[in-house]
Amino acid sequence: MINVGIVGGTGYTGIELIRLLLQHPQARIKMLTSRTEAGVKVAEMFPSLRGVLDLAFSPLDIAELKTCDVVFFATPHGVAMKHAQDLVDAGVKVIDLAADFRLQDLAQFEKWYGMQHDCPELLKQSAYGLSELNREKIKTASVVGNPGCYPTTVQLGLAPLLKTELKSEQSLISFENIIVDAKSGVSGAGRKASMGMIYTENTDNFKAYGVAGHRHHPEIVEALENISGQKGAFESLTFVPHLVPMIRGMLSTIYVNLTDAGQQADLQTLFEQFYQDEAFVDVMPAGSQPETRSVRGANYLRIALYQPSPKRLVIVVAQDNLVKGASGQAIQNMNIMFGLEEGLGLQSIGLLP
Amino acid sequence: MINVGIVGGTGYTGIELIRLLLQHPQARIKMLTSRTEAGVKVAEMFPSLRGVLDLAFSPLDIAELKTCDVVFFATPHGVAMKHAQDLVDAGVKVIDLAADFRLQDLAQFEKWYGMQHDCPELLKQSAYGLSELNREKIKTASVVGNPGCYPTTVQLGLAPLLKTELKSEQSLISFENIIVDAKSGVSGAGRKASMGMIYTENTDNFKAYGVAGHRHHPEIVEALENISGQKGAFESLTFVPHLVPMIRGMLSTIYVNLTDAGQQADLQTLFEQFYQDEAFVDVMPAGSQPETRSVRGANYLRIALYQPSPKRLVIVVAQDNLVKGASGQAIQNMNIMFGLEEGLGLQSIGLLP
Amino acid sequence: MINVGIVGGTGYTGIELIRLLLQHPQARIKMLTSRTEAGVKVAEMFPSLRGVLDLAFSPLDIAELKTCDVVFFATPHGVAMKHAQDLVDAGVKVIDLAADFRLQDLAQFEKWYGMQHDCPELLKQSAYGLSELNREKIKTASVVGNPGCYPTTVQLGLAPLLKTELKSEQSLISFENIIVDAKSGVSGAGRKASMGMIYTENTDNFKAYGVAGHRHHPEIVEALENISGQKGAFESLTFVPHLVPMIRGMLSTIYVNLTDAGQQADLQTLFEQFYQDEAFVDVMPAGSQPETRSVRGANYLRIALYQPSPKRLVIVVAQDNLVKGASGQAIQNMNIMFGLEEGLGLQSIGLLP
Amino acid sequence: MINVGIVGGTGYTGIELIRLLLQHPQARIKMLTSRTEAGVKVAEMFPSLRGVLDLAFSPLDIAELKTCDVVFFATPHGVAMKHAQDLVDAGVKVIDLAADFRLQDLAQFEKWYGMQHDCPELLKQSAYGLSELNREKIKTASVVGNPGCYPTTVQLGLAPLLKTELKSEQSLISFENIIVDAKSGVSGAGRKASMGMIYTENTDNFKAYGVAGHRHHPEIVEALENISGQKGAFESLTFVPHLVPMIRGMLSTIYVNLTDAGQQADLQTLFEQFYQDEAFVDVMPAGSQPETRSVRGANYLRIALYQPSPKRLVIVVAQDNLVKGASGQAIQNMNIMFGLEEGLGLQSIGLLP
């Protein structure tokens, strides 16, 4: 039984970790910390847990956390990096759901998150937790930086095209014309009392946001560089996120231009083969239209391909931003780190309707 | 392992049965029938099942269904009563999620459902499947009529008051002034392509419906008579259902007038004690406000009490109409009928947010 | 042309006043004040006004406000009463959309709003702005207290029953068993950045709130006493508000017990005659089901009656909480106060779908 | 006073025409026809019209329609072209909100709408009703084909770039890499009782649709050819529509690659100048984020520009699909055709919240 600590369990990735871990046969939530809610029963804040979890939030106490096998940080950016080394030194594995261990490029981290990194050495040794693409490194890592929700869709949506091109001289797509038009449910913005988050300002409304620049852009760029091995190749990638009036769900529509090689390839088969052993990545039949409700509450990510004109490929990727886009993938990473069956505790079927 | 057949799996109680049974350690879905969709993969209709369930719908074949241990009817009213006797004769247990085995009063059944009952004898032997209140009878029944969603909230909301009054001479509440103001999410109306169901006619809208009379009214009346042993006592109960622009969830606000005995009783304690051994009924602390999202996807039903003036008690009851109000309770009944632990396979935690 | 000042235009009753006044042929918005947003263009806060209104918020300056003909206070409770006397002395009419001039009972005001009243004398002279029931007094009033949204539905829903009974010895309904089960869209709670208001906590959710007591309860009681002339008669009225996941709309389901006289009366006709000259009160045909979307953005209030059993009458009342429940009625009152046609500027048709 | 006939007033563009025309000072709805609802009061179908419109639907009678000054067809594709010539011969102006007079290319019309055109000659004389771009032709036309909702956003979003390039040798954008990622509220699909339209299948869900091909694609292509004068230049334009869980609203995110000339131009100023005299097109300040709620119920279309990297321009366009995207623009065209002030009756301010 793995003893789990969760730091900062009052947000949506926190409650989602709790929901999933309570259904995990090999994990036990040992403690939940919260600066602001110490002493409060978790079920008082999240009434869905009444009768299920009797724990109260405790203050953040590193000594206590060291008695856990793994600690998840479901905190704002900048918290995990303050405590990770301490925990690692005590033999505790760390999985950060914020951005502290996502970007290897320190300058980018400083620019986008407005803070200096506290443990660049540990960052170098950490693994980027895109489970399907980085499994080997995650297995032995002490610290995992869990990917952002948008970057998860983009990486899994493009990986078969980028990985395959390495085998030949020629790539399948042009790197210069990648457009990611992404859409997220409101829970992607977290659990925050701000005017922009309130019901009446978001319902029956749709908008783009963050067009001036979004923190997931450098993460996407760095990750695609790593996947393709092409440093600097994705600078002109355009990423525009939009806000959908729904609670959960994320759908990215990715537009790429095919090279001659790409136009000749059987891309549907390429994707199906690339993911044939993956339990959580579903390459849908050609012509399918992934819907976010098909993954509501589930760890699946679904992909469909279209080719509206000879040179253009459209890749549609759907996931639940809080599961495969956050807490579900974090638990998938925990399973990998502890040598468990990768899908353990992640069998929740999507809630439909 | 219990072999399960589901007749009519294309509606929302059908897909919810599937979702829950797939997570049940002692049940196996052996077949799913559909008149209209025979041959179609279930996962094509319900994309949340892609990668989880490979079964296709089969035509309704009673001989095949007889090889099951239990058959759920998630069909329109009037289907189960045509086939139940046949199945029971073959030793198969039957759980009907429609109304065929809810009302013992045949005249009421004819009046409200517009059809004659096909098997009145079997109806007499059947058990009414309000698990918490009727457990003993369900244990040995061959046929269970699963309660309507609204009636479930009203019965569990009033039972402590009605059962307790039997112990003394005097009842705790006046039977003449019971008001049930009930609210349901749209999935309560099923999965039907009708103008009244479409997105644009229900979103950002609220209304009462069925005020001229709702089929759950006679079911509520008969059930309360049985609980209290007071035949004819609830004729003046008023039940007004409303439609809430949300997918799942049901909340009933029940208003009763307290007798002198009722005013002197400690009703909070009464409710807590009445349900102290029930895993799925949560009597919340005084002053709580049950929310439907606290039970989204879960088999819990939550109750809170208020006494706004000395003589008036308000009972608020929340459940997921598709789980405790339908498919969850049906599986709870299956567990009872097969001697399993009552909560088996029903541990899903509510999806919040 | 009436020169209008609006104090506190940054909330939802503020923007709704603006929307309606801009479509009013005899009114001109002269100034809009805001403590926090002085200098900011109104259209920056409310993008629906881009290209329509070029005004900026100004600081609250009483001298400036005195140059207006009428000042609306769309402020928190307690602001209008600080400035009303000053404005009235300068010949300016005042319409308060908060509670400062709703309750004549000072003890109740203190109890529920937690503050002493600043101008009890002015309060006595003010008129309660339920336009249809209090028209004569409003005509000559200098200060109008615009009714709460819930109280508007209850008063217009019950007035025909209470007014009529005065004509005979016997009343039509029992005063002791009035239940008001009310439901409101989220905009009823205003424009506030609090956790309870955020999108993800309100969507796909339904709950009762304020069951321990709601400020509109004493207002309802006092108003019904005034309408019926029966002091102290409505103490046992039960009022339970609920929150509906929709932006706008309010529906009250009112349950009353009929006396013998009430059972013999033709209540449908009674209501139709009572409101026959009212442009904004729609008594729907028997058996109708008012929907909030039928009044979205419009100043109409719709009423339907049902009699589910001989002794019980159910009155369903629907309105837009921000229009007839707030800013629309405020403008209706302005029209009355200035001798204009009562419906001027209030011809907006409900937005459907 | 213009006498207006509406054929097929039972859909959403029909009710929206009614709502807007009732607020038009120079128009009078003389008759509304419906095959299926003849004899039914319009206000019975659309309760928002109770107390506002007393008309009943009449059967489609061309002789009667000839007594109108203008007839709007809010019908399925293929109806207007059957009756237009008859009406035109009688001196009646025709505005079709369906597709019969949108495409000049008859082969495309047959391919996408599955029917032969009934009056190709009349089609040639008809005007394409994009008011801002085609005003001169609309002025004198007898028949106007009102644009599709998506095409309206794309044309107005791209016109300044396409029109301007004609002045110099070099164009501002590459025609080969235009991506239109469009999102629509559910009312865009009309008022239809189909499974895909129901509340529970669309709420809390997001998906792409019509990726295999959408009827608005050929309309966009033909329109851009006309605007730019570049026949055949837009074949590789990619258009992917998505369905947003909201009632009204449409937002198109358009991605284009800038040429050297485009990179040197001041595009913000270009757009502002291009639309400086347009009442209904709002070029927002650089860095703005248009929201669909800012135009809910209003005839405005808002545009914002971003340049995330030197070579890429992102154009975001928001409108209400039922107003500027359909019925509002149709009335704008009527105003043009009858020599009225173009904005008459279109002053409705967006409903926010």
Side-chain angles (χ1 to χ4, degrees), chain D residues 1-2 20-27 331 334-335 340 344-345:
Chain D
M1 193 62 75
I2 302 167
L20 294 168
L21 287 168
L22 286 172
Q23 301 177 89
H24 192 292
Q26 296 286 327
I331 291 169
M334 179 191 80
N335 289 340
L340 303 173
L344 213 60

Side-chain angles (χ1 to χ4, degrees), chain C residues 4-6 14-29 70 72 331 334 345, chain D residues 349:
Chain C
V4 176
I6 300 175
I15 168 70
E16 193 68 355
L17 277 174
I18 296 168
R19 182 179 75 90
L20 294 168
L21 287 168
L22 285 173
Q23 301 178 89
H24 192 293
Q26 296 286 329
R28 190 179 72 92
I29 301 177
V70 61
F72 291 91
I331 291 169
M334 179 192 81
Chain D
I349 298 168

Side-chain angles (χ1 to χ4, degrees), chain C residues 169-235:
Chain C
E169 292 289 293
Q170 217 198 337
S171 78
L172 297 168
I173 61 168
S174 151
F175 292 171
E176 270 130 62
N177 274 300
I178 302 176
I179 307 279
V180 179
D181 189 291
K183 300 91 175 172
S184 175
V186 182
S187 66
R191 187 164 172 275
K192 283 192 297 254
S194 74
M195 197 64 88
M197 298 286 292
I198 69 175
Y199 181 88
T200 37
E201 306 271 313
N202 284 289
T203 302
D204 212 46
N205 190 31
F206 188 83
K207 64 174 175 186
Y209 72 98
V211 251
H214 188 286
R215 290 163 168 186
H216 285 180
H217 190 270
E219 183 182 344
I220 290 169
V221 167
E222 191 178 292
L224 296 185
E225 286 178 354
N226 289 336
I227 293 171
S228 66
Q230 306 286 319
K231 191 83 188 155
F234 300 92
E235 292 305 321

Side-chain angles (χ1 to χ4, degrees), chain C residues 285-306:
Chain C
S288 299
Q289 300 183 342
E291 304 181 60
T292 61
R293 68 181 178 128
S294 77
V295 293
R296 189 188 295 135
N299 199 47
Y300 291 94
L301 174 146
R302 304 197 197 275
I303 300 178
L305 305 178
Y306 318 93

Side-chain angles (χ1 to χ4, degrees), chain C residues 52-226:
Chain C
V52 176
L53 180 69
D54 198 40
L55 225 52
F57 291 108
S58 50
L60 198 164
D61 176 334
I62 293 295
E64 282 292 315
L65 285 171
K66 286 181 181 168
T67 66
C68 296
D69 299 305
V70 61
V71 171
F72 291 91
F73 283 86
T75 43
H77 310 300
V79 176
M81 67 185 182
K82 290 201 166 42
H83 306 293
Q85 188 67 61
D86 241 27
L87 291 167
V88 168
D89 290 346
V92 182
K93 305 230 179 228
V94 168
I95 301 174
D96 179 29
L97 283 88
D100 301 8
F101 297 95
R102 287 178 188 165
L103 288 171
Q104 287 296 333
D105 185 330
L106 289 171
Q108 289 286 347
F109 181 78
E110 278 189 49
K111 176 180 167 196
W112 288 95
Y113 294 93
M115 54 183 91
Q116 285 223 307
H117 206 286
D118 276 350
C119 52
E121 282 313 307
L122 191 59
L123 173 61
K124 267 187 222 159
Q125 298 155 33
S126 72
Y128 181 68
L130 203 305
S131 316
E132 284 78 8
L133 302 177
N134 227 6
R135 197 171 274 132
E136 287 313 308
K137 196 154 180 213
I138 296 165
K139 265 183 197 164
T140 57
S142 294
V143 177
V144 166
N146 212 53
C149 47
Y150 288 121
T152 295
T153 61
V154 180
Q155 290 171 69
L156 290 172
L158 288 175
L161 298 169
L162 300 178
K163 285 283 195 192
T164 303
E165 59 89 22
L166 291 179
K167 292 173 188 162
S168 67
E169 292 289 293
Q170 217 198 337
S171 78
L172 297 168
I173 61 168
S174 151
F175 292 171
E176 270 130 62
N177 274 300
I178 302 176
I179 307 279
V180 179
D181 189 291
K183 300 91 175 172
S184 175
V186 182
S187 66
R191 187 164 172 275
K192 283 192 297 254
S194 74
M195 197 64 88
M197 298 286 292
I198 69 175
Y199 181 88
T200 37
E201 306 271 313
N202 284 289
T203 302
D204 212 46
N205 190 31
F206 188 83
K207 64 174 175 186
Y209 72 98
V211 251
H214 188 286
R215 290 163 168 186
H216 285 180
H217 190 270
E219 183 182 344
I220 290 169
V221 167
E222 191 178 292
L224 296 185
E225 286 178 354
N226 289 336

Side-chain angles (χ1 to χ4, degrees), chain A residues 12 46 186-187 190-195 197-204 244-247, chain C residues 12 46 186-187 190-195 197-204 244-247:
Chain A
Y12 289 141
F46 298 118
V186 182
S187 66
R191 188 165 172 273
K192 280 192 300 252
S194 73
M195 196 64 88
M197 298 286 293
I198 69 175
Y199 180 88
T200 36
E201 306 271 312
N202 285 288
T203 302
D204 212 47
V244 184
M246 63 181 179
I247 299 177
Chain C
Y12 290 141
F46 297 118
V186 182
S187 66
R191 187 164 172 275
K192 283 192 297 254
S194 74
M195 197 64 88
M197 298 286 292
I198 69 175
Y199 181 88
T200 37
E201 306 271 313
N202 284 289
T203 302
D204 212 46
V244 184
M246 63 181 178
I247 299 178

